[in-house]
Amino acid sequence: MDFNVKRFAADAGTFLSRAVQFTEEKLGQAEKTELDAHLENLLTRAECTKHWTEKILKQTEVLLQPNPNVRIEEFFYEKLDKKAPTRMNNHELLGQAMIDSGNEFGPGTAYGNALVKCGETEKQIGGAEREFIQSSAINFLTPFRNFLEGDFKTILKERKLLQNKRLDLDAAKTKLKKAKMAEARVAPLSTSPPPGDVGYVANVSYLVNFLHVKWLKMWAEEVTKAEQDLKMTQSEFDRQAEITRLLLEGVSSTHAHHLRCLNDFVEAQTTYYAQSYQYMVDLQKQLGSFPSTFSSNNNQASMIGGASVSVPTLPVSTALSGIGGRSSSGFSELLSSGGSRKARVLYDYDAAGSSELSLLADEVITVSSVPGMDSDWLMGERGNQKGKVPITYLELLN
């Protein structure tokens, strides 16, 4: 490899000149060229964009993967350009545990069957979460990383180059100022011969004039060279300032792109939560259709975390035959007569569809039988609201 001594010396001289200029500026011994207000505002805006992009990126990563150890592992796999091992998420792990326990208790039992259904739904939610994370990583996280690791690094590089060009410009201004001051000091020097020997005086006068002309010429050349350097560094500074300005103005298009990415992220979240909601609604309907086989000591509202939760009651056939003579005959008469009666609601009930009526424990509604309706159901009315209600949630009033 060829070693260019002149190039090395020039680079070393430039570096030394910048260092001296920077030091003198810090000590207040040299003037500093200030950037125009528009460019300063663009630089501030770019720094603000970088700061908040980093923060949003970090918090989104925490949202998508709360486990810091897994995040670190995925980071190393990404840097090594290797695919991270596929692992089950929390919903899928819970779902698998429910399915395994349901199979152990027996899928033919009510509890075992319910566990299997819940487990399958949790795994569906886990799959939806996986799709949401993948979509967010591609459409939201990747563009944010690309800005920080690509566009903003280019901005930093050009900004550093602009700083160097600014130091070169101010160093050239300082050099020209010193050259003009030296030239001004040399110009008024006296060249009149001192008294004494004529030959000696003539020789000394000639020497002084000769040196004076030399100095004037030398400093004039220094001033000319400094002016040329200043003109060149000013041109390079202006050119670099324009390049930096164009890059900084591109941050506006970055904001527009990040806005589209944000819309994609919100859409992915909407899809994920809508899927999860639909899965749980379907699960509720499946659980609500299971026959109740619990003992009578469970036929009352349970309290979980301070909230009343309805517990299924005995099957209708048992209810009609074993609740008591008056209640059983009351339901039988109502089903056979087709009339209407007042009934008190025993437990909360959430309607599984638009044809059903939601119930609150201890409220009183009007119930009636409808020809052709399943014998386990009655038609309930509450004001203007009307819908099917399960008999096992009711107690007829006299």
Side-chain angles (χ1 to χ4, degrees):
M1 182 176 65
D2 296 334
F3 181 74
N4 192 323
V5 178
K6 292 183 178 180
R7 178 64 180 276
F8 176 78
D11 291 343
T14 301
F15 177 79
L16 180 61
S17 175
R18 291 170 181 171
V20 171
Q21 178 65 28
F22 182 79
T23 303
E24 290 181 348
E25 288 176 359
K26 291 298 182 181
L27 296 175
Q29 299 174 356
E31 296 181 358
K32 176 182 176 181
T33 300
E34 299 293 342
L35 301 177
D36 65 84
H38 177 61
L39 190 56
E40 287 286 2
N41 289 336
L42 291 176
L43 287 169
T44 302
R45 186 163 177 252
E47 284 291 344
C48 182
T49 301
K50 179 243 185 185
H51 169 74
W52 288 111
T53 300
E54 286 179 334
K55 194 157 190 176
I56 292 172
L57 177 65
K58 180 180 178 181
Q59 292 305 127
T60 305
E61 290 175 337
V62 172
L63 171 69
L64 299 180
Q65 179 49 262
N67 191 327
N69 295 327
V70 176
R71 288 202 306 274
I72 294 174
E73 181 182 346
E74 291 176 349
F75 172 78
F76 280 114
Y77 275 106
E78 181 181 350
K79 291 302 179 183
L80 295 173
D81 198 19
K82 292 185 177 180
K83 185 178 180 181
T86 302
R87 58 170 58 86
M88 298 177 70
N89 57 37
N90 292 332
H91 283 290
E92 291 171 329
L93 289 171
L94 174 60
Q96 190 60 51
M98 286 182 169
I99 292 174
D100 292 342
S101 60
N103 290 329
E104 180 71 20
F105 294 140
T109 64
Y111 183 44
N113 194 2
L115 281 172
V116 171
K117 293 293 184 184
C118 289
E120 291 172 349
T121 301
E122 290 294 337
K123 295 188 77 170
Q124 284 181 310
I125 294 175
E129 179 185 359
R130 190 181 301 278
E131 293 177 0
F132 163 60
I133 292 175
Q134 291 174 349
S135 175
S136 299
I138 295 173
N139 299 323
F140 190 66
L141 295 182
T142 299
F144 274 48
R145 287 199 191 98
N146 289 342
F147 167 72
L148 294 173
E149 298 175 3
D151 295 347
F152 194 78
K153 281 190 175 180
T154 302
I155 290 175
L156 288 180
K157 179 181 176 182
E158 297 300 329
R159 182 182 179 182
K160 183 178 180 181
L161 191 56
L162 177 63
Q163 171 73 356
N164 290 336
K165 296 298 181 183
R166 202 270 307 161
L167 289 172
D168 292 343
L169 174 61
D170 288 335
K173 288 180 179 179
T174 302
K175 183 178 179 182
L176 177 60
K177 183 179 179 180
K178 291 180 178 179
K180 285 185 176 181
M181 291 175 61
E183 183 185 35
R185 285 195 300 268
V186 171
L189 289 177
S190 175
T191 58
S192 57
D197 180 62
V198 176
Y200 174 77
V201 170
N203 290 334
V204 171
S205 176
Y206 173 78
L207 179 60
V208 170
N209 287 331
F210 176 78
L211 292 176
H212 183 234
V213 171
K214 276 293 206 182
W215 288 339
L216 282 174
K217 184 179 179 181
M218 180 187 68
W219 285 114
E221 290 176 352
E222 284 294 323
V223 169
T224 301
K225 184 176 182 300
E227 288 175 342
Q228 292 174 349
D229 290 343
L230 177 59
K231 184 178 180 181
M232 182 183 66
T233 53
Q234 182 70 60
S235 176
E236 292 179 351
F237 172 77
D238 292 340
R239 178 177 176 274
Q240 186 58 40
E242 181 65 16
I243 292 174
T244 307
R245 181 185 65 79
L246 292 174
L247 284 173
L248 292 172
E249 288 178 347
V251 172
S252 296
S253 62
T254 298
H255 285 188
H257 178 52
H258 286 181
L259 175 58
R260 292 192 294 270
C261 296
L262 182 62
N263 287 333
D264 292 339
F265 179 63
V266 172
E267 183 178 352
Q269 277 188 309
T270 303
T271 301
Y272 166 56
Y273 292 130
Q275 287 179 332
S276 300
Y277 173 76
Q278 189 58 50
Y279 291 149
M280 296 309 296
V281 168
D282 294 341
L283 176 62
Q284 272 189 323
K285 292 180 179 179
Q286 294 180 55
L287 294 181
S289 66
F290 288 166
S292 302
T293 55
F294 299 100
S295 59
S296 59
N297 61 351
N298 286 329
N299 295 336
Q300 51 188 314
S302 302
M303 298 300 292
I304 301 177
S308 177
V309 178
S310 300
V311 179
T313 58
L314 297 174
V316 175
S317 58
T318 306
L320 293 178
S321 60
I323 293 178
R326 184 175 58 182
S327 297
S328 175
S329 61
F331 278 113
S332 300
E333 292 173 1
L334 181 60
L335 290 171
S336 60
S337 66
S340 62
R341 292 274 298 275
K342 294 289 185 181
R344 185 175 66 87
V345 178
L346 298 176
Y347 321 113
D348 290 347
Y349 175 74
D350 292 328
S354 59
S355 63
E356 298 180 11
L357 182 66
S358 296
L359 304 175
L360 294 175
D362 294 325
E363 71 170 324
V364 176
I365 63 173
T366 301
V367 293
S368 59
S369 62
V370 176
M373 182 180 290
D374 192 316
S375 59
D376 291 348
W377 298 81
L378 291 171
M379 183 60 66
E381 294 183 44
R382 182 200 303 113
N384 295 328
Q385 296 178 326
K386 190 174 183 180
K388 295 193 304 179
V389 294
I391 287 180
T392 52
Y393 283 71
L394 304 173
E395 178 185 32
L396 293 178
L397 300 178
N398 293 330

